[in-house]
Amino acid sequence: MTQKQRTSIGFIGAGNMAKAMIRGLIQSGFPANQILISAPNTQFLDNFTILSNNSALAKQVDVLIFAVKPDVLKSVILELKPLIQEKKPLMISIVAGISTDQIYHWLEDEKRVAPLIRAMPNTPALINQAITGVFTPTLLSATDLALSQQILSAIGSYIWLEKEAFLDIVTGLSGSGPAFIFYILEAMISQAIEMGLPEAIAKTLALKTCVGSANLALSSDKSLSLLTQQVTSKNGTTFAGLEQAKALKLAETLQSMIAASVNRAKEISTKTH
Ligand SMILES: NC(=O)c1ccc[n+]([C@@H]2O[C@H](COP(=O)([O-])OP(=O)(O)OC[C@H]3O[C@@H](n4cnc5c(N)ncnc54)[C@H](OP(=O)(O)O)[C@@H]3O)[C@@H](O)[C@H]2O)c1
């Protein structure tokens, strides 16, 4: 028996993440007339008219994307429960900190019949360069798998995770990561300005160094340590900077920054259970 083709996507929530995903889908050729959006106060987004009623949206779509704040998800799920139980749409939740178990519990679907995916994208989604960690506790049909991958690749790239617990680490690493990178770059730029470089030049140099280094590491099979060694000659300029970083325990500081963020993600997940 062939699976019914799922073709229309409904976004519950029209905020930053929904916007990024919708723009990505359109840019990647997904038909705009197969995308529906609902949110209570927002009326328009780009060329879309936004529905104010989640149930009216859910009746018309095959895929539901939950893109609301965590404190709103329960009421959204409870409102849509009868429709979800009946239609069993493919569900994708990008809501931080709410487990698939919790969602199935609200749906009274302890047997996990409705297909559900949980994803943690990051803000480079706004320019189609997100990296998304994604997990599903269900065995997806080939159609649902292909469709979910099409949706995720519309905002960048994605990595499937074997365990849902990894999503807390993903949240602390790549979810919060853009802010950490901006923070580090800001410190580097401010020092260059302080020492006399014009701001615009300092900013361009730092940002392009970040992008270039990341692309070099991504395209190389060498380890990050080896790539570091390759620009570090004994008693040279890079050596001087790295020695200072070691003396001030910069690696440990950055590690504790990631740990604090991951621990907070775990705390938020536990609170919502
Ligand atoms: N931003 C990130 O970097 C990021 C990364 C990964 C995951 N996430 C997750 O993505 C989710 C959305 O984040 P965001 O930054 O896009 O949030 P946001 O900009 O605050 O958007 C939330 C949207 O939800 C709508 N909404 C509120 N109550 C609703 C209801 N009862 N039914 C339907 N829609 C409702 C709001 O509509 P009105 O404005 O009309 O009230 C708004 O459009 C969050 O759970 C967040 O944890 C965000």
Side-chain angles (χ1 to χ4, degrees), residues 226-249:
L226 195 59
L227 290 170
T228 307
Q229 276 171 36
Q230 284 180 342
V231 280
T232 314
S233 46
K234 185 88 180 150
N235 291 324
T237 56
T238 312
F239 181 82
L242 288 173
E243 283 302 294
Q244 182 69 358
K246 282 178 199 160
L248 295 173
K249 299 199 181 305

Side-chain angles (χ1 to χ4, degrees), residues 14-17 39-42 54 67-70 72 94-96 120-121 123:
N16 293 318
M17 270 297 148
N41 302 310
T42 314
N54 295 334
V68 293
K69 291 285 186 203
V72 177
I94 61 158
V95 179
M120 174 51 61
T123 51

